[in-house]
């Protein structure tokens, strides 16, 4: 079976009225992980994510300080980001990161928000990440890779309906 590449047009299609009645919020996600050079420091296991501006309504990203990025910042591919607690410690050593800049893949990003610290599970550190507008991510890393489309359903019992709705909509769109 062939899985077509998903892009922002697919996200917008799914957001159209009546396409996914079981969905409360629909987003876009692109990812990159690994060793990142952030300025003059190298940091291992950094999860870099491009997200749609509604990411915090879909996933659990509470802020300790600062703010989330906006729709306008996404539309304009602004070089802004939200960073995880441990990444802030590694880069700024107990200084407030809000308004400071980090250099990622040769591009400067301004830190808008600091995420609340999350507990790790089985050796996984959920606090070493960078979130940025998806358009900014694609400017830095390119847009050839397929996007993921995270969806928050209206209630847990609607998950099977949402899966069927997405499957039917994407089959129709990509036939």
């Amino acid at each position: 079976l062939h899985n077509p590449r998903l892009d922002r047009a697919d996200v917008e299609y799914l957001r159209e009225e009546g396409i996914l009645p079981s969905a409360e919020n629909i987003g876009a996600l692109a990812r990159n992980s690994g060793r990142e050079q952030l300025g003059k420091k190298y940091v291992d296991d950094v999860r870099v994510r491009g997200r749609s501006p509604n990411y915090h309504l879909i996933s659990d990203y509470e802020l300790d300080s600062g703010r989330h990025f906006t729709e306008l910042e996404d539309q304009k591919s602004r070089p802004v980001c939200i960073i995880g607690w441990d990444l802030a410690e590694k880069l700024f050593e107990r200084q407030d990161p809000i308004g400071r800049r980090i250099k990622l893949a040769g591009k400067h990003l301004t830190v808008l928000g600091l995420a609340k610290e999350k507990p790790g599970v089985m050796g996984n550190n959920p606090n070493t990440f960078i979130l940025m507008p998806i358009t900014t991510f694609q400017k830095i890393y390119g847009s050839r890779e397929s996007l993921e489309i995270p969806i928050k359903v209206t209630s847990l019992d609607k998950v099977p309906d949402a899966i069927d709705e997405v499957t039917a909509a994407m089959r129709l769109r990509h036939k």
Side-chain angles (χ1 to χ4, degrees), residues 17 21 58 62-64 68 89-90 105 116 130 135 145-146 150:
E17 186 71 36
I58 299 169
E62 286 186 65
L63 296 184
D64 185 73
H68 299 285
E89 283 291 311
K90 288 177 184 177
K116 283 189 177 179
I130 300 171
T135 55
E145 296 294 321
S146 185

Side-chain angles (χ1 to χ4, degrees), residues 126-171:
N127 300 298
T128 56
F129 65 83
I130 300 171
L131 299 178
M132 66 187 73
I134 193 154
T135 55
T136 305
F137 179 96
Q138 290 179 323
K139 230 173 155 178
I140 294 171
Y141 293 102
S143 58
R144 290 189 314 241
E145 296 294 321
S146 185
L147 295 180
E148 295 176 38
I149 303 177
I151 297 170
K152 183 175 183 180
V153 292
T154 54
S155 64
L156 279 178
D157 63 322
K158 294 290 186 183
V159 170
D161 293 341
I163 291 170
D164 291 344
E165 291 162 7
V166 169
T167 302
M170 288 293 95
R171 281 187 179 150

